Amino acid sequence: MIYVVHQPEAGEANAWFAFNAEDLLRKVASDDTLPAHAVWDCASPRDLLALFDEAPDAPGVAERYPGICTLGAEDGWDTPLYRADYLQDAGFYGPEPRRCEDACYAALRARGGQWKFYENEPHALAAVDRPDPLYDAPGGWRARWALRQQLIAVEALADDL
């Protein structure tokens, strides 16, 4: 599980979880100004052409979709390309691998406030008691408490501790 803690500039801290990267992307995109495929996507040039019901060998495809065909010719038609508009130029698909989690974290940070991300339960559990600049700041106990309550809700932490 992935655990997310948010301390907004104003208002109450909150914490939530995602089961995995796919679930994280779905949750982030459901509340973002950009669609999910702009927050993060991985597709080959062949996949991108298929979105338009086209294939690399279709007559005139290079004239209709020159950008995608250039990517296919330069990088290979089946090479994974990554899009992450909060991490790189908007709309850009490139061969440099981008993790879905990192793209989602960048999208959340763009919303403002302070964020903490824990990519597994042991890290989240350790964070409940570990010194941390966010949690140890004045009022930061609310963010720590939100994480603790989320861990109790998913039964990762006993509520009598």
Side-chain angles (χ1 to χ4, degrees):
M1 282 191 192
I2 300 167
Y3 295 89
V4 179
V5 179
H6 181 217
Q7 176 62 63
E9 296 296 328
E12 291 297 314
N14 62 75
W16 49 276
F17 77 94
F19 289 106
N20 52 35
E22 183 180 308
D23 187 38
L24 179 66
L25 177 59
R26 184 184 59 75
K27 289 177 177 179
V28 170
S30 73
D31 206 21
D32 202 85
T33 58
L34 297 179
H37 71 273
V39 173
W40 183 85
D41 193 23
C42 178
S44 70
R46 185 181 313 278
D47 296 333
L48 294 173
L49 277 181
L51 294 172
F52 301 102
D53 294 323
E54 294 279 5
D57 57 355
V61 72
E63 289 78 34
R64 290 188 299 279
Y65 303 101
I68 297 173
C69 290
T70 299
L71 289 172
E74 289 178 0
D75 298 318
W77 286 102
D78 296 310
T79 299
L81 301 174
Y82 299 87
R83 179 176 177 178
D85 286 10
Y86 288 100
L87 294 174
Q88 59 197 25
D89 293 338
F92 175 78
Y93 277 86
E96 182 181 339
R98 301 289 186 169
R99 287 184 345 129
C100 178
E101 294 90 333
D102 295 334
C104 289
Y105 302 158
L108 292 171
R109 282 188 199 101
R111 298 177 187 182
Q114 295 183 63
W115 295 85
K116 291 288 180 179
F117 307 102
Y118 305 100
E119 291 193 16
N120 57 52
E121 200 167 273
H123 287 132
L125 286 166
V128 170
D129 296 317
R130 182 175 291 146
D132 183 276
L134 170 62
Y135 302 147
D136 298 337
W141 67 271
R142 290 178 182 89
R144 187 186 306 268
W145 185 257
L147 173 61
R148 184 179 184 285
Q149 292 304 108
Q150 182 60 66
L151 289 166
I152 290 170
V154 299
E155 298 181 353
L157 183 66
D159 62 358
D160 61 349
L161 294 177

